Amino acid sequence: MVTADWTGVDPDWSRDIDVASTSAADESGTVRRWHLLDNGAQLARRGLTPAGTLLCVHGNPTWSYLWRTLLAAGSDPAHPWRVVAVDQLDMGFSERTGTFRRLADRINDLGDLTAALGLDGPVVTVGHDWGGVISLGWALAHPQQLAGVVLTNTAVHQPAGSPVPPALRLALHPAVHRWGTTTSDTFLRVTHSLARPPLAADVRSAFVAPYRSADRRAGVGNFVADIPADPSHPSFPALSRVAEGLRGLKVPALMLWGPRDPIFSDRYLKDLISRLPHAKVHRFEGAGHLVAEDRDIATPVFEWLAGRGRDSAPVDDPVPEPPTPEPGTGLPPLWAPLTELAAGPAGGDTAVAEMADDGGVARSLSWQELERNITALAVGLREAGVREGSRVSLMVPPGVDLTVVLYACLRLGAVVVVADAGLGTRGLSRAVKGATPDYLIGIDKALAAASVLRWPGRRISVRDLPAARRRVLAVEASLAALARRGATLGPEPGEAPGPDAPAAVLFTSGSTGPAKGVVYTHRQLAAMRDTVAATLSIRPGARLVAGFAPFALLGPALGAVSVTPAMDVTAPRTLTARALADAAAAIDATVAFASPAALRNVVATQGSLDGAGHTALGRVELLLSAGAPVPAALLAEVQLLLPRASLHTPYGMTEALPVTDISLEQIRAAEADAAAGTVAGAGNGVCVGLPVHGARVAVIPLAADGSAPGNSPVTEAGLTGEILVSAPHVKESYDRLWLTQRESVRTAGWHRTGDVGHFDAAGRLWVEGRLAHVVTAPGAVVTPVGAEWAIERLDDVGLAAVVGVGPPGTQAVVAVVETVPPVRRAGPAALQLAGRVRAAAGQAGVSVSAVLVVPSQPTDIRHNAKIDRTRLARWASAVLAGGRPGTP
């Protein structure tokens, strides 16, 4: 028995067992010595009855040590599970057999072991790397014992015509194979280097321990040589049997994935999802091949075991009966208003337009033309292979083309993936790769990026391209050609998708971490359309200037004429007053939508307006601004430019848009109530108004540590807590983020937003910031927005951020301000400014310990308004510790 001291391993778990082999690789009667980490005997001595057994199988070149956190978690008396982590033969501390063992042999070997152990059900297999395939092979061969499967970064299928990953190709090369995998420890060192963050020295030493000499590494080389790179490989049939067998596997499944894996990329995850569509999936952004080392996988595994098949966590707190949203049964599909207008007397009127840089209209379609183009393209896309459920990433700027292709995909039942360029190159690439689209439709720039960054999906260009350009970009077809083809084939194919079918994956802004994909069904998109229409009284015939891409796409669904101003839609602050006025004049606009950053630049550039521009803006009846809080002072300046408009700032998020709504007049009334103290709870934050049509809003009160641990929603005035929303238009789920989804719905019937706020006695909601940005000062929980708004009222301050520096519970409150005019260098604020900032924050009840200045705040790319407080907190901590200020 091996008794070495390995970090994180209880020596009591280590054991050896002799197993009679029935493998074709061995002669009859051969007995093999296996090494295991097994907590079964330990549980028995403690008098604990396990709920089942986790059978954990490592890959190459690791060993059972990989599963030590599962062994520790399974030994917890609160949720005992027997965990049997094997060292495969020729690997770890198991016997070196001197034979070449193929995939089929290894699956058989595992069966021999479990028979020798007398392992009975329920068994949940856990696998990583090629251990994932072997564990699945065992699972398919033992259906009576099987209760579930857990997979981490593995693969069961190599797509035809697709090369194996470069790292494995190199390891397989005859000139490199033996030296790289056996003679030297290169393969081990390269694999261990994939850990993010790097492995600690003692952990790395433990992983190397069984493989310190060449004669101990023969199994490492043989494992690599047994990779079925093509159908001619001897192990290809065994791999195919496992791959196809998964399609009939109905037990609960969990996949935990590290996307930054140069070996098993997201394309392998996509294949596994296609075979096990019922599986719960969580991608840990930033994690890589050794996901069990990069992230805590024990907690999610045991949470999943406690409620296999459920999305929401079991809770102990008494939960009141949640509000039941309107079911939305019978809602017409998203595109119904568009179709009705095309068939009616307004069919010849403009439906969607594009602006040219010179202020004129570059292109437009009537409702009839839009309907015909959508129908023709839907037929053409169907001919090209797009089917119901196909994922289609749209990399097309707002305008005619995007409108047509979006609605064509929706009518086909394809799932549109909308990850806009506002995420930045890295964020956009991460989003596209994570969504693994089947098709990518884009302009030249997007297609070029797809080639360089290796984005997945068959590629379709917007325009017809020269043959050489098509070859370079690997383009199979163009929207123009598909539409022409569709127009010759006849009516739209197939039936409309069902209301509960997935319709879209929309990505969040990424302002509080990596952008998350949010899944909407057709029913939920239709409910969003109806909520916006009912709340803001936007009816068919409205004319919309959309300075924010998502609203441009919603316009036709509202029956509104839509135009996007001449601007860089990836940078809202590029919207000028002249561009807004030109767009408004082009369609005689009645509604406009622009982010707070866009409005600031509109106000700043209003000097460029002529009389016609003022007249066009003067006809606008409704202005919407969202994405971040909008100060009343800014709205007041905008009101002078749009004197007839009712100015509204709806509050919402990608997961639920909108949640509440408020007008400028109502903001002023709320601020007056706060100043006078006549309404309990008024103040401390930004007032976002009352819940929209069909929505319910509540809070879970904050605890002393700044968390919101309860599950009992309340609406009592003055209680600060995490904001919850329940509505027909709340998202279906987060895409391949099972843990995030689970957390967001842990209060039954509600979506937990991650925002913090409170109600006043008039029922209005006041937003105080993000739960992740709450500062836990000594004896106090500080939410940032109230103090920030107080500081921003100073004449020489633009944007302000309040962050915490130091350990939780003892954090110092630090104000970071962007000055007007901007300072040249970031660092501590001048004494006079620091004093005024402290005084302003004090009026909001916040005691500021330090004041720092920056030339500009780090904001999200999409809105140019959401400040990255987490990044600022790290920077402020370094500055206050004596580091060089640099740039936050």
Side-chain angles (χ1 to χ4, degrees):
M1 180 182 293
V2 180
T3 58
D5 180 19
W6 303 307
T7 300
V9 172
D10 186 332
D12 205 21
W13 300 336
S14 181
R15 61 176 291 201
D16 292 334
I17 181 173
D18 290 331
V19 178
S21 174
T22 64
S23 171
D26 292 322
E27 295 182 3
S28 178
T30 301
V31 175
R32 296 299 186 187
R33 171 63 58 95
W34 289 69
H35 173 253
L36 317 173
L37 295 179
D38 180 0
N39 68 347
Q42 187 180 74
L43 291 176
R45 284 194 300 273
R46 294 176 179 174
L48 299 173
T49 301
T53 301
L54 295 183
L55 177 61
C56 304
V57 189
H58 67 86
N60 189 28
T62 56
W63 56 288
S64 56
Y65 183 70
L66 182 72
W67 307 116
R68 63 194 180 281
T69 61
L70 295 182
L71 282 144
S75 302
D76 188 331
H79 44 68
W81 274 74
R82 184 183 182 186
V83 181
V84 177
V86 308
D87 283 359
Q88 299 194 62
L89 294 175
D90 299 313
M91 303 292 287
F93 288 98
S94 285
E95 179 182 345
R96 279 8 183 206
T97 68
T99 64
F100 193 107
R101 310 187 85 80
R102 297 286 183 190
L103 173 60
D105 297 320
R106 294 196 174 277
I107 294 172
N108 192 80
D109 289 341
L110 189 58
D112 290 341
L113 172 67
T114 58
L117 290 171
L119 205 60
D120 200 357
V123 175
V124 174
T125 60
V126 184
H128 173 252
D129 191 86
W130 287 106
V133 184
I134 294 163
S135 71
L136 290 171
W138 184 95
L140 293 170
H142 297 78
Q144 300 305 315
Q145 296 161 264
L146 186 68
V149 297
V150 178
L151 298 172
T152 64
N153 288 62
T154 186
V156 297
H157 175 67
Q158 179 64 34
S162 180
V164 297
L168 292 182
R169 285 207 304 275
L170 179 62
L172 284 165
H173 195 283
V176 174
H177 172 66
R178 183 170 178 78
W179 173 84
T181 62
T182 307
T183 306
S184 76
D185 65 354
T186 299
F187 192 76
L188 275 82
R189 287 188 288 105
V190 169
T191 302
H192 298 160
S193 72
L194 298 177
R196 307 173 185 280
L199 298 176
D202 54 347
V203 172
R204 191 185 311 110
S205 177
F207 271 119
V208 171
Y211 305 112
R212 293 196 182 278
S213 60
D215 64 308
R216 300 284 299 171
R217 293 192 289 266
V220 174
N222 290 347
F223 241 129
V224 173
D226 196 42
I227 296 171
D230 58 63
S232 66
H233 192 280
S235 285
F236 189 84
L239 180 64
S240 297
R241 285 194 296 272
V242 172
E244 292 310 308
L246 290 190
R247 300 190 188 279
L249 198 62
K250 302 304 181 185
V251 295
L254 174 67
M255 301 180 196
L256 302 175
W257 209 262
R260 296 183 67 183
D261 186 345
I263 303 167
F264 298 117
S265 62
D266 278 316
R267 76 177 182 185
Y268 295 106
L269 174 61
K270 180 178 181 178
D271 175 73
L272 285 167
I273 292 172
S274 74
R275 298 170 192 275
L276 294 170
H278 63 282
K280 307 302 180 187
V281 180
H282 189 87
R283 297 171 68 259
F284 292 95
E285 284 293 354
H289 180 67
L290 295 175
V291 64
E293 298 298 320
D294 296 353
R295 297 292 187 272
D296 169 20
I297 70 162
T299 298
V301 165
F302 279 85
E303 286 183 357
W304 175 77
L305 289 171
R308 270 165 283 165
R310 292 200 301 262
D311 281 326
S312 57
V315 293
D316 298 323
D317 298 349
V319 180
E321 187 67 24
T324 303
E326 291 294 327
T329 302
L331 286 180
L334 186 69
W335 55 86
L338 183 162
T339 302
E340 291 171 6
L341 283 166
D349 297 342
T350 299
V352 59
E354 291 179 6
M355 297 301 296
D357 291 337
D358 63 3
V361 175
R363 228 178 8 146
S364 67
L365 291 178
S366 70
W367 292 107
Q368 291 173 346
E369 291 169 331
L370 179 58
E371 174 71 11
R372 284 198 300 269
N373 287 10
I374 290 170
T375 300
L377 183 57
V379 175
L381 288 169
R382 168 77 69 172
E383 286 291 303
V386 179
R387 296 289 184 267
E388 184 170 353
S390 296
R391 289 195 168 197
V392 183
S393 178
L394 302 181
M395 298 283 181
V396 185
V400 171
D401 292 322
L402 181 57
T403 302
V404 171
V405 70
L406 173 82
Y407 285 94
C409 288
L410 291 176
R411 289 194 187 184
L412 281 174
V415 181
V416 295
V417 177
V418 182
D420 62 73
L423 296 176
T425 301
R426 288 182 62 186
L428 179 60
S429 188
R430 185 189 298 119
V432 175
K433 288 180 178 179
T436 56
D438 301 287
Y439 295 84
L440 191 152
I441 300 175
I443 58 174
D444 277 22
K445 183 178 179 181
L447 295 172
S451 296
V452 173
L453 300 173
R454 297 182 179 179
W455 291 343
R458 296 167 60 183
R459 296 171 196 168
I460 298 174
S461 62
V462 174
R463 303 291 179 203
D464 294 328
L465 299 177
R469 184 69 171 161
R470 287 181 60 179
R471 285 193 297 271
V472 168
L473 298 177
V475 168
E476 298 182 14
S478 71
L479 291 183
L482 293 176
R484 290 193 298 269
R485 172 67 173 160
T488 67
L489 291 176
E492 180 181 346
E495 296 182 0
D500 295 314
V505 179
L506 311 178
F507 277 84
T508 62
S509 66
S511 59
T512 55
K516 299 183 288 291
V518 178
V519 178
Y520 275 91
T521 64
H522 284 271
R523 185 194 307 276
Q524 289 155 347
L525 287 182
M528 180 192 298
R529 172 203 63 204
D530 292 352
T531 298
V532 169
T535 301
L536 301 169
S537 298
I538 300 177
R539 298 286 182 260
R543 297 175 296 279
L544 169 67
V545 176
F548 183 48
F551 242 79
L553 301 178
L554 193 58
L558 292 165
V561 182
S562 303
V563 63
T564 300
M567 62 181 293
D568 180 355
V569 292
T570 69
R573 62 167 62 102
T574 61
L575 178 62
T576 64
R578 180 62 180 269
L580 180 63
D582 287 343
I587 61 170
D588 196 15
T590 58
V591 184
F593 187 104
S595 74
L599 291 183
R600 286 191 180 92
N601 199 50
V602 166
V603 170
T605 58
Q606 60 182 302
S608 63
L609 288 176
D610 55 18
H614 279 288
T615 299
L617 294 180
R619 288 193 292 266
V620 174
E621 299 169 2
L622 174 66
L623 174 83
L624 309 172
S625 187
V630 190
L634 174 60
L635 290 175
E637 292 184 87
V638 173
Q639 185 75 83
L640 297 175
L641 278 174
L642 288 77
R644 290 184 55 197
S646 177
L647 308 187
H648 284 248
T649 61
Y651 158 70
M653 56 219 65
T654 307
E655 298 88 338
L657 180 69
V659 174
T660 67
D661 179 54
I662 193 169
S663 68
L664 174 57
E665 292 76 17
Q666 292 166 335
I667 291 172
R668 286 169 171 162
E671 291 183 345
D673 289 341
T678 55
V679 176
N684 187 27
V686 53
C687 186
V688 295
L690 299 172
V692 299
H693 175 78
R696 307 284 185 90
V697 182
V699 302
I700 297 289
L702 294 185
D705 63 357
S707 66
N711 275 299
S712 299
V714 299
T715 56
E716 183 180 340
L719 281 180
T720 293
E722 182 181 4
I723 299 169
L724 279 62
V725 60
S726 176
H729 61 279
V730 171
K731 56 96 169 114
E732 177 72 10
S733 65
Y734 288 108
D735 188 43
R736 300 172 187 177
L737 292 170
W738 173 70
L739 286 172
T740 307
Q741 171 64 12
R742 182 179 171 87
E743 174 63 21
S744 77
V745 297
R746 66 184 174 90
T747 302
W750 298 87
H751 167 67
R752 299 184 67 130
T753 68
D755 287 339
V756 175
H758 69 274
F759 295 96
D760 64 22
R764 296 171 299 205
L765 181 66
W766 295 71
V767 176
E768 302 177 48
R770 292 285 293 171
L771 189 63
H773 300 152
V774 168
V775 180
T776 53
V781 173
V782 177
T783 54
V785 171
E788 291 169 351
W789 276 51
I791 294 168
E792 288 176 0
R793 292 190 181 98
L794 298 174
D795 291 340
D796 50 354
V797 172
L799 296 176
V802 168
V803 299
V805 171
T810 61
Q811 289 183 320
V813 180
V814 178
V816 183
V817 300
E818 176 184 311
T819 60
V820 180
V823 295
R824 296 183 61 185
R825 293 182 180 177
L831 290 178
Q832 186 179 20
L833 174 61
R836 289 189 292 110
V837 168
R838 286 192 176 94
Q843 292 174 0
V846 176
S847 177
V848 171
S849 299
V851 181
L852 304 175
V853 293
V854 292
S856 63
Q857 297 281 18
T859 60
D860 68 297
I861 300 174
R862 178 185 288 177
H863 298 288
N864 297 154
K866 295 181 179 179
I867 298 173
D868 189 341
R869 292 180 181 85
T870 303
R871 177 176 166 186
L872 275 183
R874 290 195 299 266
W875 172 79
S877 179
V879 171
L880 294 176
R884 296 181 63 182
T887 302

